[in-house]
Amino acid sequence: MTRLILLVALLINTIGSNAQQQTQTISGYVYDDASRAPLTGVVVTVMNTTPQKGAVTDADGRFRIDSVPIGRQTVVVSYMSYENKVLSNLVVTAGKEVSLDIAMQEAVHSLKEVTVSYDRSQDKNRTINDMALISARSFNVDETKRYAGSLGDPSRMAANFAGIVAGNDSRNDIVVRGNSPNGMLWQVEGLNAPNPNHFGTVNSTGGPVSMLNNNNIAKSDFLTGAFPAQYGNALAGAFDIRLRNGNRDKAEYVGQIGFNGFEGGAEGPIGKNKKTSYLINYRYSTLGVFKALGLNLGAGTAVPIYQDVNYKLMSDLSKKSKLTVFGIAGNSRVNFLGADIDTTKPDLYGGNPFEDQRANFATTITGASYEYQLSEKSSTKLIVGYSTTKQRYTNDSISQVDNSTYPSQDADFRTGKLSVQWIYRHKFNAKNNIQAGLTYENISYDLSFKRLFPQQPTRVYSDEQGNMNLEQGYMQWKHRFNNDLSFVGGMHLQYLDLNGSFAAEPRAALRYRLNNKNSVSIGYGLHSQAQNVYNYFVQTPTAMGSIRTNENLGFTRSNHFIASYDLNISRNLRVKAEGYYQAISNVPVESRASSYSVLNSGARFELDNEDSLVNNGTGTNYGAEVTIEHFLSKGFYFLITGSLINSRYTGSDGVERNTAFNTGHVLNVLAGKEFKVGKKGSVLALNIRVSTIGGRYLTPIDPVASQAVGDAVFNTTKAYSVKQPDYFRTDFRIAYRKEFKKSTMEFSLDLQNITNHKNVFNQTYDSRTNRIVYNYQQGFFPVPLFRYTF
């Protein structure tokens, strides 16, 4: 493998040996972050260029800077009476123009023409959402590509952040501060979205492969607690994903082959006036190729097949209005046939030698938004969207006597959601701005799940079709007392017409900058979440027929309390500490005494089929987090995050227990270095990531009861009482980027779990040997990637 990498690098350097000094174009759009109005006359400067490169925004807030040398560049944006903005370490390549959307904040007190100063907090630490003052950070596509083990997946990238734990190696579920991953909210272009992952089940927010293509993602926000009032129906966190616009000036293309699939993408202008752009990317899975190479994916001989498309069209209809159409669509399927299961190898996806399992999934997210600038101080936006999900699953049992098969499970879940969202923003002055919005969601459902038994009645868990409406509204106000002290307060309202559930949720956050290096913040939020649509319609069998005993479940509620301290030691070194406490109430638990709680949902692949649930459970999450981050400077960067987590719940039996997500501690150490190779702009990049996570708690298997029925029987009276060994994994990534005259070639090799450490995935019962056995997570696994942009 080493010889192959050296040979490819030598060949690429030979091809490009006669290339001239490469340059590229940086263009963009600058606007006021509160009113969204374009800013005219903003000075945009590329630092450390000779002669100095720069431009001034036009009447539409747009700028264009040509002949910018390729490599890492720093852009400074300055405007009279506004705070400077510094965008550092932008990757400028020969194969693609750089397009920037830049929001600027007006200074509270009128400033004289400011001198250029390097203020890192104006860039990396500031979120796209100006209302997010605490427990929030932005990320960009460069991080999803650069971090070892991320595989271009925003969810896997976020697992490096403080307080975050990945679900397991086989999926990208996000566990935020001990909460169930089902407490996550996904937004795409401001539209509330269903699970944007392949093989995403009706009861989850993650999956093995993301449908979000990182070639299409713009700078986005990730929030982990006490989030602003505009985010509702979530308990744990929010992924606010933004898709970038296509190039308005010329056509560009990308081809890519990697773990996530064979990809092809295109973008460019539509029409001669260059007011409309398109961006589209299609992907088809390459896991079949990996199978042919003899690489074990942890799914036996089963090969997951998937494909997806991401797209966005944006058009400036006039100087005051623009129309955007966007979408994500994908489908996936996999079959686990018992005869093909290799019981000597790990299986993270549920394969059983005595079952034939077939699963098909499909998800679509389609939206359109119309934005209109009412005045220099006000803007409004209307978003209309429709999303669908489909999960079809069948399970045939295989007789251990004669290998005959018979149906044992049949599930068919389909949902649709029509969404209409209105947003209004108004900026009174530099100190005060408000944002308000209304969201209407009509949710249709067709849910069918049943178990079949030989010579016994069929057990129907759900067989429902219908519609329900979820309405949300919010208003939030930001007041800046001065340049150092800011306050955000808001209220979020939520109503579900299925059973009349209602919630009024106050939110507040305060941030005070003590000096240029130190700041403190506090935040509070009451957050409510409706139950999973399937949970409402689990049926309870009675002598008179089945009834719905979960239909009247109310919202689960969580009070978030957060305190934060931020220290900017230098221009490139930052330390941040946060402490949090979450008090969770109205948690669905069984009406009879048991250890069950919805707070543990998402810890396994199976559905929660419990009926007769009531909102009597509670839970608490509390902990502390530390982030030490060295931003990329002179080719070097690192990110160290440590978290102490305690996550507990109480079921209807009154016993307080660990949740399934109580890992106790998390430590991530990530570092990287970029080296310039030659004088033509080529770069060699190395990145290493080391993670250790406290072992999760599992529910023990009762060996006697399991032997009696021939299947795993868990001792639920001791739920989540057996702690597993700590998780440990080291990933290493090597990447090489070669610049040609008008194109860029990139090659990387991600070596996952290079120590081949065995991390426990789960425990199961082997009916053939009458033994309790452990399944282990992914071992050493190399993931190559090749990308060409032109």
Side-chain angles (χ1 to χ4, degrees):
M1 181 63 74
T2 303
R3 292 182 179 179
L4 177 60
I5 295 174
L6 293 175
L7 180 61
V8 171
L10 178 62
L11 177 62
I12 294 173
N13 271 305
T14 301
I15 293 174
S17 60
N18 296 321
Q20 300 299 315
Q21 172 65 42
Q22 298 99 325
T23 62
Q24 188 53 276
T25 296
I26 297 178
S27 61
Y29 172 66
V30 184
Y31 60 95
D32 184 284
D33 67 348
S35 69
R36 294 302 195 263
L39 298 177
T40 303
V42 178
V43 178
V44 184
T45 306
V46 182
M47 303 300 293
N48 303 318
T49 54
T50 306
Q52 191 83 61
K53 301 291 182 182
V56 177
T57 58
D58 61 18
D60 297 327
R62 298 195 174 276
F63 69 91
R64 181 180 178 88
I65 308 173
D66 295 314
S67 302
V68 178
I70 64 171
R72 295 277 181 180
Q73 298 291 352
T74 295
V75 172
V76 175
V77 187
S78 57
Y79 190 48
M80 181 73 74
S81 78
Y82 277 71
E83 297 177 358
N84 280 353
K85 186 103 175 190
V86 180
L87 309 176
S88 60
N89 292 302
L90 298 175
V91 180
V92 181
T93 66
K96 177 167 177 44
E97 292 187 354
V98 177
S99 180
L100 303 172
D101 280 353
I102 304 172
M104 297 195 71
Q105 179 172 265
E106 186 177 359
V108 171
H109 302 293
S110 180
L111 301 178
K112 297 179 180 179
E113 185 66 43
V114 292
T115 57
V116 173
S117 61
Y118 196 97
D119 184 359
R120 174 67 71 170
S121 66
Q122 296 301 313
D123 173 28
K124 183 77 173 187
N125 300 340
R126 168 166 278 176
T127 56
I128 299 295
N129 188 336
D130 71 306
M131 297 284 183
L133 300 185
I134 196 167
S135 289
R137 68 168 290 159
S138 65
F139 66 93
N140 56 47
V141 64
D142 183 46
E143 292 173 297
T144 67
K145 295 177 180 178
R146 181 159 34 105
Y147 290 177
S150 295
L151 300 177
D153 184 341
S155 294
R156 288 184 166 92
M157 177 274 303
N160 294 287
F161 299 158
I164 310 302
V165 179
N168 56 67
D169 290 347
S170 67
R171 298 172 59 89
N172 62 6
D173 302 82
I174 291 295
V175 176
V176 179
R177 294 174 170 172
N179 288 282
S180 164
N182 293 348
M184 283 294 301
L185 169 69
W186 284 96
Q187 283 194 349
V188 177
E189 287 290 297
L191 182 71
N192 293 338
N195 183 353
N197 292 281
H198 287 295
F199 307 98
T201 59
V202 69
N203 65 324
S204 70
T205 58
V209 181
S210 175
M211 289 195 303
L212 292 166
N213 194 299
N214 70 340
N215 289 313
N216 291 31
I217 295 176
K219 185 177 180 181
S220 303
D221 289 342
F222 181 58
L223 304 96
T224 57
F227 20 94
Q230 71 189 79
Y231 303 103
N233 200 34
L235 297 182
F239 250 121
D240 192 345
I241 300 294
R242 303 291 169 170
L243 303 178
R244 65 181 182 87
N245 297 322
N247 194 318
R248 297 162 55 96
D249 298 311
K250 71 172 187 177
E252 295 178 326
Y253 307 93
V254 61
Q256 179 173 305
I257 303 173
F259 170 79
N260 288 337
F262 288 91
E263 301 183 25
E267 61 182 286
I270 298 176
K272 295 182 180 180
N273 60 8
K274 296 184 179 181
K275 295 292 185 180
T276 303
S277 67
Y278 73 91
L279 172 66
I280 187 169
N281 193 290
Y282 172 77
R283 171 174 55 185
Y284 190 86
S285 63
T286 54
L287 297 186
V289 177
F290 290 162
K291 177 189 175 184
L293 295 175
L295 299 176
N296 179 22
L297 303 176
T301 57
V303 178
I305 304 297
Y306 52 87
Q307 61 182 329
D308 56 62
V309 62
N310 290 213
Y311 62 90
K312 182 179 182 181
L313 289 85
M314 194 281 289
S315 179
D316 287 332
L317 302 179
S318 68
K319 288 187 176 182
K320 291 187 175 183
S321 63
K322 64 181 178 180
L323 176 68
T324 302
V325 178
F326 58 92
I328 299 170
N331 58 57
S332 50
R333 67 182 188 275
V334 65
N335 296 331
F336 297 94
L337 304 181
D340 295 335
I341 300 296
D342 186 346
T343 58
T344 66
K345 294 182 178 180
D347 181 356
L348 305 187
Y349 300 94
N352 187 316
F354 301 115
E355 294 177 343
D356 286 344
Q357 304 175 49
R358 296 174 174 85
N360 291 269
F361 304 84
T363 299
T364 65
I365 303 169
T366 306
S369 66
Y370 175 76
E371 190 168 358
Y372 186 78
Q373 197 69 40
L374 299 169
S375 68
E376 291 185 358
K377 297 290 187 179
S378 303
S379 67
T380 187
K381 187 175 185 179
L382 179 68
I383 306 174
V384 179
Y386 188 73
S387 60
T388 65
T389 67
K390 170 190 171 184
Q391 178 186 346
R392 182 79 175 94
Y393 172 79
T394 62
N395 188 319
D396 295 336
S397 294
I398 302 174
S399 171
Q400 300 184 40
V401 178
D402 58 7
N403 288 329
S404 61
T405 63
Y406 55 91
S408 57
Q409 292 186 44
D410 188 290
D412 193 351
F413 305 122
R414 300 168 190 261
T415 67
K417 182 166 66 175
L418 172 65
S419 302
V420 180
Q421 183 176 358
W422 170 77
I423 302 170
Y424 174 76
R425 296 183 177 92
H426 180 74
K427 177 181 177 181
F428 295 97
N429 48 47
K431 288 187 174 184
N432 297 278
N433 64 280
I434 62 169
Q435 180 178 332
L438 297 172
T439 300
Y440 167 79
E441 296 177 343
N442 176 262
I443 304 167
S444 62
Y445 50 87
D446 187 347
L447 310 171
S448 173
F449 178 51
K450 56 186 176 182
R451 294 182 185 272
L452 301 92
F453 306 94
Q455 301 178 348
Q456 294 184 35
T458 298
R459 172 66 163 96
V460 177
Y461 288 91
S462 180
D463 186 13
E464 295 289 337
Q465 303 84 37
N467 294 267
M468 60 183 179
N469 298 312
L470 179 65
E471 290 102 18
Q472 301 177 66
Y474 71 91
M475 177 173 283
Q476 51 194 10
W477 165 55
K478 182 175 182 179
H479 177 69
R480 301 171 65 207
F481 297 90
N482 51 50
N483 285 324
D484 297 323
L485 181 61
S486 299
F487 169 80
V488 171
M491 176 69 73
H492 182 273
L493 305 177
Q494 185 166 296
Y495 175 76
L496 180 67
D497 72 350
L498 175 70
N499 53 30
S501 295
F502 174 78
E505 306 164 359
R507 316 278 176 88
L510 183 72
R511 180 168 62 195
Y512 179 57
R513 186 170 61 182
L514 302 172
N515 50 48
N516 289 334
K517 291 188 176 182
N518 299 270
S519 64
V520 293
S521 305
I522 56 174
Y524 166 76
L526 174 59
H527 305 273
S528 302
Q529 184 175 27
Q531 309 309 321
N532 181 279
V533 63
Y534 175 78
N535 287 8
Y536 284 116
F537 303 109
V538 174
Q539 297 181 357
T540 301
T542 69
M544 302 299 293
S546 297
I547 59 174
R548 299 194 299 255
T549 53
N550 293 347
E551 188 173 12
N552 291 319
L553 285 172
F555 298 142
T556 301
R557 303 178 187 272
S558 182
N559 284 278
H560 291 199
F561 303 87
I562 304 172
S564 175
Y565 171 70
D566 207 323
L567 170 64
N568 289 302
I569 298 176
S570 67
R571 296 190 306 174
N572 299 306
L573 184 60
R574 172 202 185 200
V575 177
K576 183 177 183 179
E578 283 198 346
Y580 63 89
Y581 180 84
Q582 299 174 0
I584 309 172
S585 60
N586 286 26
V587 180
V589 295
E590 291 187 284
S591 56
R592 66 179 181 88
S594 78
S595 60
Y596 171 81
S597 172
V598 163
L599 294 183
N600 297 308
S601 296
R604 55 180 187 169
F605 294 112
E606 294 83 2
L607 290 167
D608 285 359
N609 292 310
E610 280 73 13
D611 57 17
S612 303
L613 299 181
V614 292
N615 292 102
N616 292 337
T618 60
T620 56
N621 298 319
Y622 59 88
E625 306 163 356
V626 175
T627 298
I628 306 174
E629 186 166 12
H630 185 284
F631 301 107
L632 196 149
S633 176
K634 298 180 180 180
F636 175 70
Y637 61 93
F638 67 75
L639 173 65
I640 301 173
T641 60
S643 306
L644 297 176
I645 300 170
N646 193 18
S647 179
R648 307 277 289 178
Y649 81 98
T650 302
S652 56
D653 59 3
V655 179
E656 186 181 48
R657 297 179 171 88
N658 300 294
T659 70
F661 311 104
N662 189 12
T663 57
H665 68 271
V666 182
L667 176 64
N668 295 306
V669 179
L670 183 146
K673 175 68 177 177
E674 295 182 353
F675 303 89
K676 293 182 179 179
V677 180
K679 299 181 180 180
K680 306 298 181 181
S682 299
V683 173
L684 176 68
L686 306 177
N687 181 275
I688 188 170
R689 173 180 180 259
V690 180
S691 295
T692 178
I693 305 171
R696 289 189 175 180
Y697 288 90
L698 300 181
T699 300
I701 292 177
D702 185 329
V704 176
S706 299
Q707 184 174 0
V709 301
D711 199 1
V713 176
F714 294 89
N715 184 355
T716 57
T717 62
K718 297 182 179 179
Y720 308 107
S721 61
V722 180
K723 186 175 177 60
Q724 303 307 299
D726 288 356
Y727 174 100
F728 178 81
R729 173 169 154 171
T730 302
D731 300 328
F732 180 77
R733 184 177 186 271
I734 180 171
Y736 179 76
R737 185 175 76 240
K738 175 64 181 178
E739 302 290 352
F740 300 102
K741 187 175 181 179
K742 294 183 178 181
S743 63
T744 301
M745 185 180 295
E746 300 173 73
F747 175 79
S748 67
L749 183 62
D750 210 318
L751 304 175
Q752 299 193 347
N753 196 3
I754 58 176
T755 65
N756 201 32
H757 187 80
K758 285 190 173 183
N759 294 302
V760 172
F761 175 60
N762 66 6
Q763 57 178 349
T764 59
Y765 176 76
D766 188 340
S767 59
R768 297 169 305 164
T769 61
N770 292 324
R771 293 176 53 200
I772 297 173
V773 296
Y774 284 92
N775 287 322
Y776 293 92
Q777 303 201 50
Q778 177 183 291
F780 171 70
F781 188 49
V783 180
L785 181 140
F786 175 81
R787 178 189 292 112
Y788 187 67
T789 54
F790 58 101

